[in-house]
Structure formats: structure tokens, C-alpha cells
Amino acid sequence: MGEICRKDLLGRNLSRMKKLFPKEYNIFPQTWVMPADYSDFQTFCRLKKHKTFISKPEASCQGRGISIFKNPKSIKPGEHCVVQQYISRPFLIDDFKFDLRVYVLVTSCDPLRVYIYRDGLGRFATIPYREPTHHNLEEACLHLTNYSINKNSQDFIRDDVCGSKRRLSTVNQWFSDNDYDTGKIWATVDDVIIKTLVAAHPVLRHNYRSCFPSHTHGSACFEILGFDILLDRKLKAWLLEVNHSPSFHTDSPLDKEVKEGLLSDTFHLLDLRATDRRRCMEEDKKRVQQRLLTRHRTKEENCREEEERVRSVLRSQAYEERHMGRFRRIYPVREREDDTYCRFFEQTSSLCAETAASKARMELARLQRQEIEEKAKEEERRKTTLGGRGERREKGEEMGEVQVEEQSRVRVAARRRVPFRLTSSKKTEQTAGAGESRKTEQPATAEETRETLEYEVIDEEEERERLAGLQVRERLVRNLDLPQTLSFLLASPRSPPPLPTSTLPLPRRHSSTHHCSHITQSTPQPLLSLHSKPFVTKSGPPFRCWQSSLDPLEAFGLVVTAAPVTSRHPPTHRP
Ligand code: ADP
């Protein structure tokens, strides 16, 4: 959310949108990001004299480093800061300037889903407001509404109804009591919030897709944002800033009520379940596999994934609608009603180098999505009309629809599964002799072979069987006294290791006149050549084993080279 949570980036994004839609994006005081916009700012000041400006650090908070000025020369040419036109006629309640802290929950950024919490904070200045003059520009408690600044003032009043910090519901009540149209006020606030998020949407969606390329179940992340809104004398809403980590500090019962409610409603609204962790791990596996097996995805695969994505979006949306608590959804407004914002989305996407081909692709994707949505809705309708299923559906909801679907998906996948580890499972059967209990596997068709390269859910039973097979094989290897044999082979003539008590006579080829010459512990490689043929003669030192204390099984991870033997020490074996 850096695109809107840093003051300079917010200024840049909203100024860009304002150039495209001057009327609609007049939601943010005119802003100059210094030093880049220095000359623009000076030109503006020459044309429009007697204006007041506010300068803020690019990425700061709590009113730190803010100054209000009238003289444009207060800004030096190379200075880094954000300068804004000062809204000198704010709406006042009881003569005090105030701003609204609105909590916004973004549950999904692809597609965008935005909720506003019905409660929030109204933060008031502690000195009655007067328009800026050269004499009062430095009075922070008159011009700034930050709690962190005003709480230190002796005029700060702690009162829920007429204090310096009030709940939004109290502020709304004040508007209603004074015959203002609260609905209209909040409609402009909603509009400001949606437009701001739309401006950041292309970057947000791009980042989301790069971080979660294969996430198809619901949204992979969420964010609570704190929007600071100022109302002017005409009750027009102006965006001051967006906080990506609004304070959850609660030093008064009022804070506690609002913020605790916000957090608990947020977790209630988000579809967080125990299965999510497992799902994420599965997705990670899938991603790694896809990266390893870089191959082009087929059209059907893309289509299937898109279909699953759309279904999941509809499911999440339905879930959120049932668990809204004190939230209300502001985007998407209602089905097909949100066309007012469509053109802003289109414009923002054009920033990412849109070509005629990409436009055509997007159009095609849109049609495809529409078709899938309709199909899903049709299916949903059919399901609801089937009487007997109603009950089961409700039960499903309790358990978590996603969980149920997940289980059935796994079951289906298990039923049509082709062996995931074809070679290893065959080996296991041969060595462990467990083949009888296993079903005869059909030869894999071309389609199935392709599917083996795809992600499959690992069947726990099969996995257990495979591990058991491996254990049996290890036992067999040990029973054949291979470790001791290897011990002997690797034994050094200088410091011969203790001979095994039950060493089998070595196979003939091993009692040849060649021995291992040196072992280097480097890249793990199997010791295959040891048994396959007498060691190849190489120039090098006579037989030495420098790692003879190693467990010979561990020697499978050693690189062995052979050399001619100059002195021979025939092994002594027990019969
Ligand atoms: P910070 O992140 O440091 O709190 P803000 O941008 O929120 O910075 O500004 C702090 C306060 O300054 C706001 O609460 C508001 O009262 C006042 N303020 C900021 N920008 C303007 C503006 N353009 N016009 C009028 N008042 C402003």
C-alpha cells in the first residue's frame, strides 16, 4: 500500500489521476512533491497570490515536521518535502477544526473489495479555529487536529459527547441533530476512499499477483487502513492522508471500544480457518513444482484456474456478506452498479503499457470471467432449488464451505490419481515384497504421464507404505553385513579399524589386489563403482583410508577414487 500510504506517492498518484479526471479526482488538496515540482509550485504561487500552504515530510506521521506558510520562498529549491494547498475553510463543530479517522478494510485487491467500519474517531483541535494569518500560522493546536499534538494541550477535553476526541457515531449524531444529511456526507467520504484505492490499484494488483501467483482460494492478505478525511465548509470531503498501520493504542475507554470492536469484527469478517495454513503450504509446494518444471500452461489449465478463482471470489464475497458486523461494503457497490468507477480502473491499467493486443486479451478475459460467473450463479441457483440439499448446505456453511469443497476435491484427486512416484513405488514393491497388497497399476497414458508432472495431493497411506518399504530395505542391507564389508574395504593399513565380529567373506572381486586410495568428503555421490568392478587404477598414493572411522553407510556420501596398491594386507576373516 506504499503507493497511497507515503505522502509523496499518494500525491503523485492522485495528481496523475486528477490530470486525467480533473472534476472527479478533485478529492485531494493540490499537492507538489519537492524538489521535482519546485518550479510548478513557484509558478502557481506567482499566479495565485495570498494562498496558504502546508508542508509535510514525505513519510512521517503524528504531525511531525509539519509547517504552515504563506511565503513560497519558505521552500528551498532542493528541499525534500510534500507541499499542499491549505484548506483554510474547514467545517467546524463548536468552532473547532476536526478531521475524521475512518477505518477501511481491504479484504481483496484482485478484485478490489473494500469495507468501511461504521465507527471511527473524530479528532478535534483544541484552540477555536481562525483562518490562517501571519500571526497564527505557528499555532499547532489551532491548525492541526492530530491527537498526538492536542493531547498535550491543557485545553484537551476528555468527553465522549463534546470532547476533543469523539466517536464517529457521536459526530454523526451531531450532524443529524443539526439537520445535516449524514447519508450525503458519507457518500462523499466513500467516494474519496474508493477513488484513492482505485488510483493505487494497478500497482497493488501487480504486487499481489507477483507475491501470490497461484493463490486461487480467497484472498491471501488483507489490510486495515486509516484514512484521514477533512470536511470543508461546504461539507466536501478531502483526503489528507492514508495510514497503512493506524494506531491501535488504546489509552481511553473510547479508543478501546472503537479499536477492539474494529479488530474483532475484522477477524470475524475474514474467512480465516485452520485449514488455511495447510492450503498455503500446498500452494507453496505447487509453486516450487511449477518453477522446477517450467513448461507452458495449456489453455484448459488457465481456464480451469480462472474458473476456480471466480468461484472462490464469489464464495468469499458471500461469506463476507454474512459476517459483516459493523462493517459496510463500499466497493463493489452492488452488482453492475459500480460502472462509475470502471473508467478509472481502465485508465489506471493503461499506465502499465497497454497495447492493442493486451486490450484484446483483457476484453477476452473479461468475457470469459463473465461467462464463468454466470455459470457459477446458474449452478448455485440449481443447487438452492433442489430441496433436500438445503439442510446439507447449511451444515456445510457451519463447517466451512471451503473446507468441505477442499475435502471433496482431495477425494476426487485421490480417486483419479496416477502414481506420483512411479519408479520409487515400484522399487519399494520389489524390495519390500509389499507388492501383493498393492493394486496393479495401469500403464500411464500420455495424458496421465503429463499429469504426473503436475501437482498431486500426496496420499498419506501410500506415503506410509513407501516409508515402510524403505525401512525394510535398510534392514536387509544391514543384515547382509554390507556395513562391515564396507568397513573393511575402507580400513586403513596404518590404523586398521576393529574388525567386525560377523563379517561375511568378501565377494571374490572385492578381495582383489586393489583398495580405495583416498576419500574426499565433497559432493555426495553414491559409492557405485565400489561393487561394480575392481577399482580402476589411477596414479596416486598407495591405499589409504583417511576417514575410516566413518560409518560405512555414511560413506555413500563420499567420493571414492581408486589407485594401485603397492603393499597388500589381506584381510583376516572369521569363518
Ligand atoms: P501526519 O501524518 O503527520 O498526521 P497529516 O497529513 O495527517 O500529517 O496532517 C496533520 C494534520 O494537519 C491533519 O490532521 C490536519 O488537521 C492538518 N492538515 C493536513 N493537511 C492539511 C490541508 N491540506 N489543509 C488543512 N489542514 C491540513
Side-chain angles (χ1 to χ4, degrees), residues 7 29 54 56 60-64 66 84-87 97 99 143-146 228 230 240-241:
K7 291 185 177 78
I54 181 166
K56 313 170 187 182
S60 183
C61 57
Q62 301 189 330
R64 276 190 288 256
I66 289 185
Q84 250 179 17
Q85 206 172 324
Y86 187 74
I87 298 168
K97 178 180 172 179
D99 74 357
H143 292 291
L144 308 186
T145 49
N146 299 77
D228 290 350
L230 186 77
L240 295 183
E241 70 157 341

XYZ file of all heavy atoms in Angstrom, residues 7 29 54 56 60-64 66 84-87 97 99 143-146 228 230 240-241, ligand 1:
225
model
N 3.210 9.923 1.722
C 2.587 11.180 1.273
C 3.020 11.561 -0.137
O 2.215 12.046 -0.937
C 2.932 12.288 2.251
C 2.253 12.108 3.602
C 2.543 13.288 4.489
C 1.826 13.198 5.805
N 2.447 12.286 6.768
N -6.225 17.980 -1.741
C -5.731 19.342 -1.937
C -4.565 19.336 -2.928
O -3.796 18.367 -2.957
C -5.241 19.752 -0.541
C -5.789 18.767 0.403
C -6.128 17.533 -0.341
N 0.750 24.074 3.307
C 1.214 23.267 4.439
C 2.311 22.353 3.898
O 2.151 21.773 2.822
C 0.032 22.496 5.093
C 0.510 21.681 6.300
C -0.701 21.588 4.120
C -0.639 21.176 7.181
N 4.832 19.049 4.562
C 4.944 17.858 5.421
C 6.137 17.034 4.952
O 6.426 17.001 3.747
C 3.700 16.964 5.284
C 2.385 17.686 5.361
C 1.245 16.768 4.981
C -0.079 17.526 4.892
N -1.204 16.664 4.569
N 6.162 10.709 7.057
C 6.179 10.904 8.507
C 4.751 10.808 9.029
O 3.815 10.594 8.247
C 6.792 12.267 8.815
O 6.883 12.451 10.196
N 4.589 10.935 10.328
C 3.229 10.843 10.885
C 3.157 11.656 12.175
O 4.153 12.222 12.622
C 2.859 9.383 11.136
S 4.009 8.578 12.219
N 1.986 11.671 12.765
C 1.701 12.332 14.048
C 2.054 13.813 14.045
O 2.506 14.353 15.048
C 2.428 11.603 15.176
C 2.014 10.146 15.267
C 2.545 9.470 16.503
O 3.610 9.830 17.002
N 1.808 8.505 16.985
N 1.908 14.434 12.911
C 2.126 15.881 12.826
C 3.585 16.317 12.924
O 3.868 17.509 13.043
N 4.502 15.348 12.852
C 5.929 15.702 12.971
C 6.407 16.432 11.716
O 6.091 16.030 10.602
C 6.756 14.424 13.168
C 6.796 13.969 14.620
C 7.799 12.865 14.786
N 7.288 11.632 14.179
C 6.801 10.602 14.852
N 6.768 10.642 16.151
N 6.393 9.520 14.239
N 5.642 19.244 10.425
C 4.666 19.991 9.614
C 4.821 21.496 9.852
O 5.036 21.930 10.990
C 3.231 19.542 9.958
C 3.021 18.122 9.412
C 2.191 20.491 9.389
C 1.635 17.591 9.564
N 1.285 21.216 0.205
C -0.133 21.122 -0.161
C -0.797 22.466 0.022
O -0.389 23.242 0.899
C -0.813 20.123 0.787
C -1.212 18.855 0.121
C -1.857 17.900 1.117
O -2.288 18.275 2.205
N -1.924 16.666 0.706
N -1.810 22.654 -0.758
C -2.609 23.854 -0.532
C -3.372 23.644 0.782
O -3.917 22.537 0.995
C -3.591 24.028 -1.682
C -3.960 25.464 -1.859
C -4.787 25.665 -3.111
O -4.559 25.004 -4.122
N -5.737 26.559 -3.039
N -3.364 24.646 1.607
C -4.004 24.508 2.908
C -5.501 24.777 2.785
O -5.918 25.761 2.165
C -3.354 25.502 3.886
C -3.811 25.338 5.307
C -3.369 24.276 6.078
C -4.693 26.259 5.880
C -3.792 24.133 7.398
C -5.116 26.122 7.191
C -4.666 25.052 7.933
O -5.090 24.907 9.228
N -6.303 23.876 3.325
C -7.759 24.092 3.282
C -8.090 25.038 4.425
O -8.121 24.651 5.603
C -8.518 22.750 3.417
C -8.147 21.865 2.234
C -10.024 22.971 3.497
C -8.562 20.441 2.366
N -11.811 22.980 14.541
C -11.496 22.208 13.329
C -11.380 20.738 13.743
O -10.921 20.433 14.852
C -10.150 22.703 12.779
C -9.673 21.976 11.548
C -8.336 22.564 11.093
C -7.743 21.734 9.977
N -6.478 22.265 9.491
N -10.894 16.459 12.115
C -10.824 15.544 10.964
C -11.396 14.195 11.363
O -11.610 13.923 12.556
C -9.407 15.423 10.378
C -8.460 14.620 11.229
O -8.856 14.173 12.320
O -7.309 14.419 10.812
N -4.408 24.659 14.040
C -4.450 24.198 12.647
C -4.375 22.669 12.501
O -4.841 22.127 11.513
C -3.280 24.806 11.861
C -3.407 26.273 11.686
N -4.369 26.854 10.887
C -2.707 27.315 12.231
C -4.243 28.159 10.915
N -3.247 28.471 11.742
N -3.747 22.037 13.463
C -3.564 20.584 13.325
C -4.516 19.840 14.255
O -4.724 20.255 15.400
C -2.119 20.172 13.630
C -1.017 20.928 12.876
C 0.342 20.303 13.167
C -1.269 20.925 11.376
N -5.034 18.755 13.759
C -6.018 18.011 14.563
C -5.438 16.699 15.112
O -6.181 15.906 15.686
C -7.246 17.683 13.690
O -6.788 17.118 12.482
C -8.066 18.906 13.397
N -4.133 16.509 14.954
C -3.529 15.258 15.441
C -3.738 15.092 16.941
O -3.507 16.039 17.715
C -2.020 15.252 15.199
C -1.685 15.343 13.748
O -1.758 16.415 13.169
N -1.359 14.232 13.155
N -7.513 9.642 6.744
C -7.789 10.912 7.430
C -8.518 11.822 6.452
O -7.999 12.148 5.385
C -6.478 11.576 7.879
C -5.835 10.802 9.021
O -6.497 9.890 9.569
O -4.682 11.085 9.364
N -10.842 15.350 5.839
C -11.209 16.674 6.357
C -12.425 17.168 5.578
O -12.467 17.024 4.348
C -10.029 17.631 6.140
C -10.163 19.022 6.737
C -9.918 18.986 8.237
C -9.159 19.981 6.096
N -6.695 13.726 3.419
C -5.444 14.305 3.898
C -4.313 13.297 3.777
O -3.254 13.580 3.254
C -5.581 14.746 5.357
C -6.569 15.872 5.624
C -6.547 16.252 7.088
C -6.228 17.089 4.757
N -4.555 12.097 4.268
C -3.531 11.053 4.138
C -4.122 9.678 4.425
O -5.232 9.556 4.948
C -2.338 11.321 5.058
C -2.634 11.140 6.516
C -1.391 10.862 7.341
O -0.345 10.461 6.795
O -1.484 11.049 8.559
P 0.564 13.453 9.809
O 0.714 12.168 9.098
O 1.879 13.939 10.302
O -0.506 13.411 10.831
P -1.310 14.843 8.111
O -1.215 14.953 6.659
O -2.347 13.918 8.654
O 0.127 14.523 8.700
O -1.597 16.270 8.678
C -1.714 16.522 10.055
C -2.862 17.479 10.329
O -2.668 18.678 9.583
C -4.178 16.949 9.874
O -4.772 16.216 10.897
C -4.957 18.214 9.559
O -5.571 18.709 10.691
C -3.891 19.160 9.117
N -3.779 19.230 7.654
C -3.021 18.464 6.874
N -3.134 18.791 5.590
C -3.988 19.824 5.549
C -4.509 20.614 4.498
N -4.154 20.434 3.243
N -5.377 21.572 4.821
C -5.746 21.770 6.085
N -5.290 21.069 7.110
C -4.413 20.100 6.867
